[in-house]
Amino acid sequence: MRRKDRLVTDISKIVECLDKSTALHVGISDSESTYVFPVNFGYELTDTSLTIYFHGAKQGRKAELAASSPNVGFCCETDTETLHSDTACGFTEHFLSIIGTGRLEILENDGDKISGLNAIMKKVSGKEWEYPAEMLSMTNVYRITADEYSCKENR
């Protein structure tokens, strides 16, 4: 990271960013192009690892790329605010963000899918849910295991 003065290492600030961010942007590349898409997400965070979950349809570009290209980049941000200035170079953006890379996998067994879906639902609703078997069979649940990530703040 170039701007070490903006690096956030406080775990409570990292959790704040993950909790307040409403979308995660995921980028996947194949031999032809890069595809970036926003998703709602859930996560598990420990002192040593970040795991992110999201879900989607079993068909489509996201599912095809996930099956063939496990390396991904991701980012989320919150608390964004543009600060205006009298000069173009004086404009700046306040933010709290996380950016990282990781390995993407499609979860296959129902137990893993339920854990991933509950991480998502706990973030958006504050509680865990039950999932009908039919819905589980029609849904891909994805897990990103972060290889590295950093949190950055400009205030």
Side-chain angles (χ1 to χ4, degrees):
M1 175 184 291
R2 185 180 62 84
R3 294 289 307 263
K4 299 284 187 203
D5 60 314
R6 295 184 179 174
L7 179 65
V8 174
T9 57
D10 179 351
I11 197 82
S12 66
K13 259 315 215 199
I14 295 168
V15 167
E16 176 186 344
C17 184
L18 291 164
D19 284 345
K20 290 173 70 176
S21 295
T22 56
L24 181 80
H25 305 273
V26 180
I28 305 177
S29 293
D30 63 13
S31 61
E32 297 177 16
S33 66
T34 301
Y35 184 59
V36 179
F37 52 90
V39 291
N40 63 349
F41 70 101
Y43 68 92
E44 295 171 352
L45 179 66
T46 68
D47 288 341
T48 59
S49 66
L50 172 61
T51 305
I52 300 169
Y53 300 93
F54 63 94
H55 73 289
K58 286 192 172 259
Q59 301 83 27
R61 190 162 183 204
K62 184 188 330 174
E64 291 168 9
L65 285 170
S68 64
S69 303
N71 297 316
V72 298
F74 61 88
C75 69
C76 62
E77 67 282 330
T78 189
D79 299 340
T80 60
E81 176 188 13
T82 302
L83 298 180
H84 297 266
S85 176
D86 292 333
T87 63
C89 293
F91 276 70
T92 190
E93 188 76 13
H94 280 180
F95 61 86
L96 176 61
S97 68
I98 292 175
I99 186 168
T101 60
R103 304 268 307 158
L104 179 66
E105 62 185 304
I106 301 170
L107 301 177
E108 297 297 334
N109 78 54
D110 286 353
D112 289 342
K113 285 181 164 187
I114 290 168
S115 293
L117 290 169
N118 274 330
I120 297 165
M121 292 308 298
K122 189 170 183 183
K123 181 180 180 302
V124 299
S125 73
K127 67 179 189 173
E128 295 183 348
W129 297 78
E130 292 186 19
Y131 306 95
E134 180 182 354
M135 189 277 305
L136 289 173
S137 70
M138 297 175 9
T139 304
N140 273 351
V141 179
Y142 301 91
R143 175 171 51 211
I144 298 172
T145 303
D147 295 326
E148 62 181 13
Y149 72 93
S150 60
C151 185
K152 186 172 165 182
E153 182 174 43
N154 182 28
R155 286 283 164 231

